[in-house]
Amino acid sequence: MRRSRPVRGAVGTLAALGLMAAGTAAVAPAAQAKAPVTLKVLYMNQAGYTPAVVSKIVAQFNASHPGIHAVVTFLPYPEMHDAITTSAAAPTATYNVVLSDLIWTAEFAARGYTIPLNKYLNKLANSGAIPPAIWNGFKYDGKIMAMPFLANFQNFYYNKAILAKAGFTSPPRTMAQWLHQMEVIKAKGIVKYPYEDSWLQAEGLTCDYVRTAAEFGGTLFVDGKPAMNRGPALQALEWMHMLYAKGLAAPASLEADEPHAAAAFTSGQVAFNTNWTFVTGLMDSKATSSIVGDGVVAPFPTYNGQGSGSVSGYQGLAITANTPPSLRPAAWTFIQYATSPAIIGQHLQSEWPIWRSLANSPQEKAILGARNVAVYEDNLAHVQNRPIVPNYLQVSAIIQKYVHMAIAGQMPVKQAADAMVQQIEALPAIP
Amino acid sequence: MPAEPTPPVAALPPAVRRGSAFTRLFQGDRGVVLAFLLPSLLLLVAVVLLPLAYALLLSLEGAQVTVVGGHGSVSGSFVGLANYAALFANPGFWQALRTTLYYWLVSILIEVVFGIGAAVLLNRRFRGQTVVRALVFLPWAIPTVVNANLWSMILDGDPFGGLNALLMQLHLTTAPVVWLNPSPVLAQVAWLSHALTAVGASLGMNWIIVGDEWHTLPIVIFLTLAGLQSIPHEYYESARIDGAGPWATFRHVTWPLLGPVLAVVLILRTMQLLRAFTLIYTLESTGLPVLSITAYQYAFTFGAFGQGSAVAFLIGVLALLIAFFYIRVLFRTEFVA
């Protein structure tokens, strides 16, 4: 077995380990003392913590825990929620440990698909070892529904060579500057479309809308009520439509998902891309990029030029409620192992770590660069969570439909925003 | 002790004389027929009728996934026709219905016109007939998901998308077109564009029909070709002797005798089109919600299995009504002829 890389630095890490161990000391040995059990894990086929990385973690776990045999299944994102739902519908769970997106937290809690992990995590959640913003993505009604695993969020990416050709030496800090840079790049014919985003009618579109509203200094929901037809959320929708109508955003954005939009950026076709952290690795690899050395990650431009504005895509590991009680300690043992600083610390090149001690570690700075670490922390500090409500997927489906129509000009922006609010308010609550 | 005499059959009570109802069921030719049919019937009940009944039951309940005491299930209380009422009050359902009907109608028209046309041509003898038949059948051999990804690359909205690159290199267009965007068609003619949008047409849907027909038209052609080859050659000989031209021969010989085969083909395709999912979902995600995607979204994404089942059941009813129409029209054609 390959030896794990020692993780240095880390009073915080040791403290975190201690807290996790304290929370589970009574559980883990019991699980390992029993006869070998099979633990079924559902994970997402994605760019951050790839299937290869997770398979390695699972192999390490199996080797070090002879009493438990973890088997992992990988599915693409669009199939994850539905696989968890059908698993919940079975008398006994198809999957015992599942990767849970933060947008499912409220639904899974309200419907009881996964179990609260408070008894394991209360102390850790209050320790400060993981930023509170990440915990908030997995809390609903006082229950902690998952242990954070991925601290994914969006970054602003630009091509400095294209900006230089257009006569700009620094990235935009305000929305007005960004618009000006895009107009100049297009007018000079450096690229046909300066920007591409993932506006396919899917969850990525909701993420981009939430993030754009954050750039304008607001959110889609105010005091728990939909507020798309006024203030920053309406400005965001007008902005997205304007970019499309002026030919500043590539028309292909309307059918692009995140990897597609990232490919347009890394192939040098567009100057700007707003995307998840995986683009950082993608743009600097000769295997996946033709702009190596020219791609730069930066804080997002904002309306007033202050701070940044991002959107979260946190993912955690949860235990399904129809996992037999006898198997739950083993499930927690796996979660504890996979999310531990020691394991996360082995894969710093794959994903931004959930642990503060690792995010500030010399290893992370060596991998990402001190400047990029600062940018990441800035964007993470200004992240907006999508609404944590039990009927989120219905809310998001309505948002996707009308935002897509508004961008494409199939419905006036204000009319689309009003329709969104009206339909969201009319949704029946999930019992 | 002398054996007790066996009473004559005629003297037995009627119930005993005829045996039990189960025994009688398998007597004579009927028994043989039933014995052969029974495995298929059991399979039909297990995989079609029971799920259908279960779907109907779920559609009358506020069914959702629940996990109680560590055991998961789909359950809910009886709500009568509330799920159907909620659907009919939802504009999104009617939009999905219109889009589905547009998809079905345009696809079926293409298949009838081009399917029969191609089958008639392939039924004639010509040099290289076998090779041409094999080439025509080739797209059918491609798996649906592969076909979806193929069209995804052809219709990509970027300049490097297959169709865009071709058109731009030929200088037929100057900017890439987002072919899969569900935008109105013929936007230059406002009234026509609105009318077409109202019946479910969109640019994205039209290209999905193209992608689907490229894949499925071959099976329509070959089933129709099989039907054509079953028509006795003497009928055409008689028509020729009577002086019938190609159109009259087609109208009075081919079409009526093709009716039953065509009915089977159209019923098969109608069922496939009404529940089409893979190509549309792969290319558009939920951006073009036809009925099957709406049913899936309700059940598995929103967790509302009652409403999802109601949509699924309505798809079944719609297919049944259309199949009934085909049978009435096409089989009657044969008898009139």
Side-chain angles (χ1 to χ4, degrees):
Chain A
M1 194 184 84
R2 197 176 155 186
R3 286 191 60 186
S4 62
R5 185 151 45 108
V7 178
R8 292 183 294 271
V11 175
T13 305
L14 288 172
L17 273 171
L19 283 166
M20 290 189 76
T24 59
V27 178
Q32 290 183 26
K34 289 184 179 176
V37 290
T38 300
L39 191 69
K40 289 165 285 182
V41 179
L42 177 64
Y43 188 78
M44 179 178 150
N45 188 349
Q46 61 179 330
Y49 293 152
T50 60
V53 167
V54 172
S55 294
K56 186 180 171 190
I57 293 173
V58 169
Q60 286 173 320
F61 174 80
N62 287 338
S64 59
H65 295 75
I68 307 168
H69 180 67
V71 179
V72 64
T73 300
F74 297 101
L75 287 179
Y77 181 80
E79 292 175 28
M80 287 290 292
H81 173 273
D82 306 343
I84 296 169
T85 303
T86 45
S87 171
T92 302
T94 314
Y95 304 106
N96 308 117
V97 174
V98 294
L99 186 77
S100 181
D101 194 348
L102 82 162
I103 58 172
W104 307 329
T105 298
E107 182 196 352
F108 290 176
R111 291 197 157 137
Y113 292 178
T114 55
I115 58 169
L117 301 176
N118 293 56
K119 71 171 178 176
Y120 303 121
L121 292 171
N122 269 342
K123 281 183 184 172
L124 182 64
N126 294 321
S127 71
I130 294 172
I134 296 178
W135 284 113
N136 289 340
F138 301 106
K139 284 182 182 172
Y140 179 74
D141 204 16
K143 300 170 193 163
I144 303 172
M145 299 305 298
M147 169 67 195
F149 186 43
L150 276 95
N152 208 359
F153 52 92
Q154 286 201 355
N155 284 320
F156 183 77
Y157 295 95
Y158 68 94
N159 184 319
K160 67 180 181 188
I162 294 178
L163 259 64
K165 276 186 196 166
F168 300 107
T169 52
S170 60
R173 282 303 303 134
T174 66
M175 300 303 267
Q177 286 172 5
W178 189 15
L179 178 62
H180 175 63
Q181 290 192 358
M182 283 191 273
E183 285 174 336
V184 171
I185 289 167
K186 187 171 179 76
K188 289 188 174 180
I190 300 167
V191 289
K192 193 165 184 68
Y193 302 106
Y195 176 50
E196 180 156 336
D197 210 346
S198 48
W199 293 343
L200 172 73
Q201 196 174 317
E203 187 55 33
L205 178 56
T206 307
C207 294
D208 289 327
Y209 183 34
V210 168
R211 190 212 66 242
T212 311
E215 291 180 79
F216 278 97
T219 57
L220 305 192
F221 282 72
V222 176
D223 298 328
K225 303 273 184 196
M228 295 84 174
N229 56 356
R230 61 183 194 275
L234 184 60
Q235 282 177 288
L237 197 53
E238 284 166 345
W239 166 268
M240 293 163 87
H241 168 63
M242 181 267 293
L243 294 184
Y244 174 79
K246 284 188 168 183
L248 299 173
S253 299
L254 288 174
E255 60 173 47
D257 57 11
E258 290 93 333
H260 192 289
F265 177 70
T266 55
S267 62
Q269 287 187 70
V270 297
F272 301 103
N273 182 220
T274 48
N275 217 319
W276 307 103
T277 51
F278 76 94
V279 176
T280 307
L282 214 61
M283 70 185 183
D284 288 331
S285 163
K286 281 184 181 171
T288 53
S289 170
S290 53
I291 60 160
V292 174
D294 290 333
V296 185
V297 58
F300 281 92
T302 57
Y303 185 68
N304 59 11
Q306 301 295 312
S308 184
S310 184
V311 62
S312 59
Y314 309 140
Q315 294 164 8
L317 293 177
I319 300 174
T320 52
N322 48 348
T323 290
S326 59
L327 202 53
R328 290 179 188 179
W332 171 245
T333 304
F334 175 80
I335 291 175
Q336 185 187 13
Y337 179 87
T339 60
S340 67
I343 295 299
I344 298 280
Q346 293 175 32
H347 303 287
L348 292 178
Q349 73 282 12
S350 300
E351 192 62 49
W352 181 254
I354 52 168
W355 302 98
R356 271 187 165 138
S357 54
L358 291 176
N360 295 315
S361 67
Q363 291 96 324
E364 183 64 64
K365 283 176 182 156
I367 289 167
L368 207 57
R371 181 202 163 272
N372 286 355
V373 168
V375 170
Y376 269 48
E377 285 182 334
D378 196 6
N379 285 338
L380 187 58
H382 292 91
V383 86
Q384 284 284 345
N385 285 343
R386 284 160 281 169
I388 298 179
V389 289
N391 58 358
Y392 174 78
L393 292 179
Q394 285 160 288
V395 170
S396 183
I398 293 169
I399 292 172
Q400 290 163 32
K401 177 182 172 183
Y402 286 103
V403 170
H404 197 270
M405 289 174 83
I407 293 173
Q410 288 165 243
M411 187 181 271
V413 169
K414 183 67 168 65
Q415 192 184 331
D418 285 336
M420 246 187 284
V421 170
Q422 189 188 1
Q423 291 196 15
I424 290 169
E425 284 178 341
L427 281 176
I430 285 180
Chain B
M1 196 173 106
E4 196 173 319
T6 307
V9 173
L12 289 170
V16 178
R17 192 172 65 222
R18 291 197 297 267
S20 69
F22 186 76
T23 313
R24 273 184 284 125
L25 201 62
F26 286 93
Q27 279 175 351
D29 288 346
R30 193 167 53 183
V32 177
V33 171
L34 276 175
F36 278 112
L37 281 180
L38 203 58
S40 302
L41 283 174
L42 287 174
L43 203 65
L44 202 69
V45 168
V47 302
V48 177
L49 295 181
L50 285 179
L52 204 66
Y54 186 54
L56 177 62
L57 186 70
L58 285 180
S59 76
L60 301 174
E61 292 179 345
Q64 57 182 357
V65 174
T66 52
V67 186
V68 179
H71 293 280
S73 65
V74 178
S75 59
S77 54
F78 184 76
V79 295
L81 296 174
N83 286 327
Y84 292 93
L87 281 179
F88 296 152
N90 184 350
F93 168 76
W94 294 107
Q95 188 194 339
L97 179 64
R98 285 195 298 270
T99 311
T100 307
L101 289 177
Y102 176 81
Y103 177 51
W104 160 72
L105 189 62
V106 175
S107 301
I108 285 291
L109 284 175
I110 291 171
E111 284 163 18
V112 168
V113 174
F114 290 97
I116 295 175
V120 168
L121 289 176
L122 287 176
N123 198 32
R124 294 182 174 187
R125 287 187 182 167
F126 58 91
R127 198 179 170 89
Q129 186 193 45
T130 313
V131 176
V132 173
R133 282 183 180 179
L135 286 175
V136 168
F137 196 65
L138 208 58
W140 174 250
I142 295 174
T144 310
V145 174
V146 176
N147 182 53
N149 286 323
L150 189 84
W151 282 97
S152 166
M153 287 187 272
I154 293 172
L155 300 175
D156 192 296
D158 280 297
F160 55 75
L163 186 57
N164 275 330
L166 181 70
L167 293 176
M168 288 170 79
Q169 279 177 15
L170 294 173
H171 301 290
L172 293 173
T173 55
T174 52
V177 179
V178 188
W179 303 105
L180 290 170
N181 189 31
S183 55
V185 286
L186 299 173
Q188 304 87 338
V189 190
W191 68 268
L192 186 57
S193 181
H194 286 141
L196 286 170
T197 303
V199 297
S202 67
L203 180 65
M205 178 46 84
N206 287 350
W207 279 103
I208 281 173
I209 291 171
V210 171
D212 187 42
E213 286 311 314
W214 184 81
H215 184 227
T216 52
L217 195 57
I219 194 67
V220 175
I221 294 170
F222 274 84
L223 289 173
T224 312
L225 184 61
L228 286 174
Q229 289 179 342
S230 70
I231 298 173
H233 191 66
E234 290 78 11
Y235 289 17
Y236 291 105
E237 200 63 32
S238 302
R240 195 178 58 79
I241 291 166
D242 289 346
W247 172 247
T249 307
F250 177 79
R251 170 75 185 83
H252 297 289
V253 178
T254 308
W255 178 255
L257 293 173
L258 206 54
V261 173
L262 213 55
V264 171
V265 173
L266 293 181
I267 290 168
L268 177 79
R269 285 295 296 143
T270 295
M271 287 191 297
Q272 287 176 342
L273 288 163
L274 292 182
R275 59 182 166 79
F277 185 90
T278 313
L279 181 69
I280 302 172
Y281 190 76
T282 307
L283 293 180
E284 301 274 3
S285 185
T286 54
L288 250 180
V290 289
L291 285 177
S292 57
I293 287 177
T294 305
Y296 175 82
Q297 213 174 7
Y298 271 121
F300 295 100
T301 308
F302 303 156
F305 277 78
Q307 277 187 305
S309 299
V311 179
F313 201 76
L314 287 174
I315 294 173
V317 170
L318 195 60
L320 202 68
L321 287 174
I322 295 172
F324 181 70
F325 170 77
Y326 286 148
I327 291 167
R328 291 277 296 181
V329 170
L330 292 169
F331 277 86
R332 181 188 287 175
T333 305
E334 183 197 24
F335 297 139
V336 168

